[in-house]
Amino acid sequence: MEISGIISAIVIGIIIGVLGRLVVPGRQRIGILWTIAVGIIAALAGAAIAEAFGVNDTKGVDWIEWLIQIGLAALGVAALDRFKSGDRSRSHR
């Protein structure tokens, strides 16, 4: 992977991660680096899912692909927040 591809993945990961985080109600107790990581993973997984269903390359904006990616990011943010919250409650006993 070239440096431009890495930079693109980070930028897209930031956007997808932040949008996924906005979808999840309440305050999430994860940092920006976790948000970016979740966003990058969601963007890659969402692109693969969209390609599998044949909706990755449409005329104009690929809304379906974006919705899949944002949905996956929201699930990832919520799951990571729940996991990290569980760690805190167990360590305070």
Side-chain angles (χ1 to χ4, degrees):
M1 180 177 262
E2 295 182 17
I3 190 73
S4 62
I6 294 170
I7 292 171
S8 295
I10 291 170
V11 170
I12 291 170
I14 291 169
I15 294 167
I16 295 294
V18 168
L19 290 173
R21 196 169 175 154
L22 288 173
V23 171
V24 177
R27 182 177 185 273
Q28 295 83 41
R29 294 172 236 31
I30 63 172
I32 190 69
L33 292 178
W34 281 113
T35 301
I36 293 169
V38 167
I40 291 170
I41 293 167
L44 294 172
I49 291 169
E51 185 175 348
F53 285 107
V55 294
N56 62 321
D57 192 20
T58 58
K59 291 183 179 181
V61 179
D62 296 324
W63 293 110
I64 297 171
E65 182 176 0
W66 274 86
L67 290 173
I68 293 169
Q69 292 170 330
I70 293 167
L72 289 174
L75 287 173
V77 166
L80 187 59
D81 180 53
R82 181 167 286 220
F83 175 76
K84 289 181 137 301
S85 294
D87 282 347
R88 286 192 189 120
S89 65
R90 278 185 238 134
S91 65
H92 289 261
R93 290 182 183 180

